[in-house]
Amino acid sequence: MFFSDRTDAGRQLAARLGHLKGHDVVVLGLPRGGVPVAAEVADALDAPLDICLVRKLGVPQQPELAMGALGEGGVRVVNERVLHEAGVGARALAAVEEREHVVLDQRARRYRGSRPSVPLEGRTVLVVDDGLATGATALAACRVVRARGAARIVLAVPVAPRGWTARLGGEADETVSVHAPEVFSAIGQFYRDFTQTPDAEVVACLDRIRAAHGPVVQDADVRIPVADGVALAGRLAVPEGATGIVLFAHGSGSSRHSPRNRAVAGALNRARLGTLLFDLLTEAEAVDRAHVFDTPLLAGRLARATEWLAGRPESEGLPLGYFGASTGAAAALWAAGDPASSVAAVVSRGGRPDLAADHLARVEAPTLLVVGGRDALVLDLNRRAASLLRCENRLEVVEGATHLFEEPGALEEVADLATSWFAGHFRRQGISTPS
């Protein structure tokens, strides 16, 4: 017996990985048992932590014995030797795969929620589990990570059988183990406490490391030229490793200081999504309330701001999206309906899409309409708008919320929905996103 529990194993493993500290490393734990081990390693290396979702394909009569594994992105590994020795046929294998695919999808939602995954492109990725037996799960994990663009893969486990590295077929660039005993029957034999890790512990580990290693956000006040002699004040925030930038179109005379939009922007920043909060009107223009409902004017300003942002070095290669609130949502949809628009996604919060009715059918960007369940008039307007949209679209109703989403938890739900929508559709642009 080498370890008291997974926390102890993680600390011992971290002591073997000090050479990675200070490098651009992402630590990935294999749920569930590998995550508490990986959390200790991430702490020691001062590195971000994420999960690598892989499901072992257990032999039907002996579930602990792996005959293969499934990973995110359609990765599949099968151990033909184990299949033959266990007498598992094609039908039995297919049944196990179908079941594990369902679990894989469920765990992705449970552990990540709306958070995107940490980007791996060009980085050193340290894959950690609580031990290695057959190697099928680790092999699948390495292939998943390689497919996501990792420059270098280090596979590290507290314990594995003697000669274990040969089982990986060169899939990992470096392998590390604390112990590699000759006599090895199961991983659990080397732990005093090897009870199953609950989902709650996995989420807690991820949340703790995320809180300590949130993305660094570079933000600055900007001036956005939108017409001769007219420049709008804004705040551009771009997290390290940003996967896209969202322009906010405020409504009903709100400014870049709107507490609700700032709260949503903060959630997007934590998910490595950049934001541009800016005023659609100058202070002098805002005095005239008619301007608040001048959708062509507001849409034109948004389009000019989009052109300005696209020319900035911070946005190079990144997809752009619109988040519109109230009348600002009409401006966002109007601008997105321009044939020259290249925005990748639109989110409307309590929006007035009816003010852009003639342009709705022209919108090509996937559009999410979010409305409070107690905002009856606006909910009806959005239902009608959804029927006019020809692009991919969805209407989400936040139950119990009124127009301003002031109820407890309502705005947080809006932020989660927006984060998931932008992250998913930015990913389709060829940009991989994180947590």
Side-chain angles (χ1 to χ4, degrees), residues 271-282:
R272 296 186 187 274
L273 297 170
T275 54
L276 175 60
L277 295 165
F278 71 105
D279 299 336
L280 287 169
L281 300 171
T282 65

Side-chain angles (χ1 to χ4, degrees), residues 115-135:
R115 297 184 181 98
S117 55
V118 175
L120 307 182
E121 294 89 343
R123 308 174 80 173
T124 295
V125 179
L126 176 55
V127 180
V128 177
D129 204 356
D130 54 10
L132 182 145
T134 65

Side-chain angles (χ1 to χ4, degrees), residues 6 30-36 55 107 110-111 130 196-199 202:
R6 290 181 176 87
L30 272 63
R32 288 178 285 190
V35 175
R55 286 294 296 173
R107 289 195 172 176
R110 186 177 305 145
Y111 299 148
D130 54 10
Q196 188 176 72
T197 302
D199 287 336
V202 172

Side-chain angles (χ1 to χ4, degrees), residues 101 132 174 227 314 322 329:
H101 266 303
L132 182 145
E174 181 183 350
E314 298 95 332
Y322 290 156

Side-chain angles (χ1 to χ4, degrees), residues 67-407:
M67 57 184 176
L70 298 175
E72 294 179 277
V75 173
R76 176 178 182 268
V77 179
V78 174
N79 189 320
E80 296 292 348
R81 180 183 60 80
V82 174
L83 284 177
H84 176 72
E85 292 177 357
V88 178
R91 181 174 298 180
L93 174 61
V96 174
E97 287 192 57
E98 183 178 359
R99 183 174 65 249
E100 296 302 336
H101 266 303
V102 172
V103 177
L104 199 66
D105 292 340
Q106 290 174 339
R107 289 195 172 176
R109 293 191 294 270
R110 186 177 305 145
Y111 299 148
R112 286 206 179 102
S114 61
R115 297 184 181 98
S117 55
V118 175
L120 307 182
E121 294 89 343
R123 308 174 80 173
T124 295
V125 179
L126 176 55
V127 180
V128 177
D129 204 356
D130 54 10
L132 182 145
T134 65
T137 303
L139 185 62
C142 288
R143 290 179 178 174
V144 167
V145 169
R146 189 75 72 186
R148 290 180 55 194
R152 179 174 173 79
I153 299 174
V154 180
L155 176 63
V157 293
V159 63
R162 184 67 57 85
W164 66 284
T165 57
R167 304 183 183 190
L168 300 175
E171 294 287 346
D173 300 298
E174 181 183 350
T175 54
V176 177
S177 67
V178 180
H179 298 285
E182 290 188 12
V183 179
F184 189 111
S185 58
I187 298 170
Q189 77 183 91
F190 304 104
Y191 285 80
R192 182 178 297 113
D193 178 3
F194 198 63
T195 53
Q196 188 176 72
T197 302
D199 287 336
E201 184 176 353
V202 172
V203 174
C205 286
L206 293 170
D207 286 345
R208 177 171 65 83
I209 302 298
R210 283 191 189 108
H213 300 279
V216 176
V217 179
Q218 301 292 335
D219 59 353
D221 291 319
V222 294
R223 299 289 294 178
I224 307 165
V226 293
D228 289 341
V230 179
L232 304 176
R235 186 77 175 174
L236 176 63
V238 183
E240 180 184 19
T243 58
I245 303 179
V246 178
L247 295 90
F248 279 66
H250 310 293
S252 301
S254 293
S255 72
R256 65 190 185 282
H257 302 298
S258 162
R260 285 173 290 279
N261 281 344
R262 288 174 64 186
V264 174
L268 295 178
N269 292 160
R270 289 189 291 274
R272 296 186 187 274
L273 297 170
T275 54
L276 175 60
L277 295 165
F278 71 105
D279 299 336
L280 287 169
L281 300 171
T282 65
E283 290 185 9
E285 291 170 336
V287 174
D288 184 351
R289 290 290 296 172
H291 287 138
V292 173
F293 296 94
D294 190 343
T295 304
L297 170 65
L298 302 180
R301 295 282 175 86
L302 181 57
R304 299 294 83 73
T306 306
E307 293 174 2
W308 172 85
L309 180 59
R312 301 267 302 187
E314 298 95 332
S315 66
E316 184 177 358
L318 296 180
L320 304 179
Y322 290 156
F323 183 96
S326 190
T327 55
L333 289 165
W334 187 297
D338 189 311
S341 174
S342 60
V343 293
V346 177
V347 173
S348 162
R349 172 182 67 83
R352 288 289 309 275
D354 54 300
L355 298 176
D358 293 341
H359 289 249
L360 293 178
R362 306 176 192 171
V363 177
E364 295 184 1
T367 298
L368 174 67
L369 307 172
V370 185
V371 187
R374 293 166 58 194
D375 193 4
L377 175 59
V378 173
L379 179 55
D380 182 58
L381 292 173
N382 276 261
R383 283 174 173 153
R384 295 180 187 179
S387 69
L388 297 175
L389 288 167
R390 297 292 176 262
C391 58
E392 175 190 347
N393 67 88
R394 191 168 83 223
L395 173 63
E396 288 281 357
V397 178
V398 178
E399 296 300 337
T402 50
H403 185 63
L404 295 180
F405 297 89
E406 296 175 307
E407 294 71 22

